[in-house]
Amino acid sequence: MGTIIDQMEGPGAKAHDGVRCPLCGAPNTASGQCRHVRWTFDRGGPLEFARYALGASPLTERLGRSAGEISAAWLQVHGDQIVDLIMLHFGVDEGFVFGEVAQLDMLARELWRMFTEVPVAS
């Protein structure tokens, strides 16, 4: 049976050279990453990345907020929406999240908007 590479490309195929950055084309591995890597999923999943984005974004401080205000339970309840936002703002491939620094601010802005949204009375 062999490895996935053997199955897809035949025995003796070249080993995986890393995940190519969609922005600069550089190969990324666990030991070497380009400047566009914002997160790797060995550090945690999408919800941990969302919390990281909230803490890393200067927007959070400008709003007078703290990433700790958003509970893990809230993140869990809104997990599907958060994953959709991450996929919208970032390139995600094989455990790497690629993007520009400004995209962390965009994600943080969207998360704060979701968190502070006042529900409409029915």
Side-chain angles (χ1 to χ4, degrees), residues 70-86:
I70 298 179
S71 70
W74 186 90
L75 289 170
Q76 195 70 32
V77 167
H78 295 88
D80 289 341
Q81 291 171 288
I82 292 169
V83 169
D84 288 345
L85 285 173
I86 292 170

Side-chain angles (χ1 to χ4, degrees), residues 1-2 7 10 13 28 31 33 60-61 67 73 83 90 92 108-110:
M1 186 165 236
Q7 292 175 32
N28 292 276
S31 61
Q33 299 164 358
T60 298
E61 188 175 327
V83 169
F90 296 91
V92 179
R109 182 187 70 214
E110 294 294 325

Side-chain angles (χ1 to χ4, degrees), residues 39 45-56 67 75 82 86 107-108 111:
W39 190 259
L47 302 183
E48 288 83 7
F49 174 64
R51 186 169 301 284
Y52 163 77
L54 288 166
L75 289 170
I82 292 169
I86 292 170
L107 177 59
L111 291 170

Side-chain angles (χ1 to χ4, degrees), residues 1-18:
M1 186 165 236
T3 66
I4 292 174
I5 292 174
D6 288 345
Q7 292 175 32
M8 299 300 291
E9 300 174 8
K14 188 169 95 169
H16 195 284
D17 287 334

